Amino acid sequence: MPHHQAVPATVTVFAGPTSWIESDAVAQCHQVAALDGMRHVAGMPDLHPGKGAPIGAAMASTVLYPFLVGSDIGCGIAVFPISLKRAVPEKLAARFPDLDTPLDPDRDADDPAWEVLTGGIPGGHTESLGTVGRGNHFVELARVGTVFDDAHAGRLGLAAGDLVLVVHSGSRGFGERILRAHTEVHGAGPAADPAAYLAAHDDAVRWGSLNRRLLAARVAHALGAQPTEPVVDQCHNLVEVRDGVYLHRKGAAPGDGRDVLVAGTRGTPSYLVAAHAGPDANHSVAHGAGRKMSRADALRRGKAKHTVEELRRTPVGSLVVCGDRQLLFEEAPTAYKRIEQVIGDLVEHALATPVATTVPLVTYKTPEAGPAQRKERRGFSR
């Protein structure tokens, strides 16, 4: 039965006049608004164009569209307190484990990281557990910088100078498999069986959360610390059934009374905010700085402007662990919008209030190349 839409959906973009918002991203919001059953599209200040749908948007509809959530269902950012005697970035960077190699439930059965697993593995998806993935995913050791709200930070057990692990990762191949199963039959169309999609989706969301815990536990053990419970863990790629409507979030964090870490870049602080977004923002807030350049542009411009060594040490003095040269350029801080502007827009539109910043010490993307490869590379870079 077709859904006849009498009133076109509304589109609101929560950004200021000086914010960097590409017209392509706004055009994508309007394309989404034209879909059957769509009620309201809220663009966050980190809005940027995605594949077929905008990233940094929350989209409310009476029809469920899996492509609006995308393949990395369950992707999110969690913050874990960590206690270390001394935090020397150079020493700690060398101790980060290889987070490209998955934890195998049988082969690695005695790995202490499994202690964070309570109950079974969601959806029985045992592949790629404990891995970060590529793109903008990372595990970061950071220090709590400026505290704007002592009482709120205190409730989370955080104070200036404390160390935290920030983990940004999703459901790896699991969410991709779920989306592919849908698109092979229905393309970008609605879910034929919303309940079946949601059941698989919910498994992927739980899996993403477990994976963030496993990643934090692997790093904590490698750095000689004990794993802790996350003080913040918000997923920003998911669909929520709210007031009888499907609220799709693609790169937008739940903002209805939650604490959210809005990620900066590896060369800038991130902001922990208390979110209080209402229905006009589809109860959502930004999830990060948002890309300003496509990966191809970042690669091209970065190579003209920076050396690999420059990109391994950031403006805030932190180190980047990343053996993949291309990824170093694609993820350069300059490829992203200014996080201060994004936070300013959230504050300006009364969507969130800053609680504290976290300043990177070590940002892990992919393992460093071994000594043999490094020698080869040195010859190459000259």
Side-chain angles (χ1 to χ4, degrees), residues 213-235:
R213 285 167 178 260
L214 284 170
L215 285 162
R218 289 182 89 172
V219 173
H221 285 299
L223 300 183
Q226 280 309 304
T228 58
E229 285 290 301
V231 291
V232 171
D233 184 13
Q234 287 303 332
C235 168

Side-chain angles (χ1 to χ4, degrees), residues 94-106:
R95 289 173 63 181
F96 264 67
D98 173 354
L99 302 176
D100 274 8
T101 303
L103 283 174
D104 184 280
D106 302 320

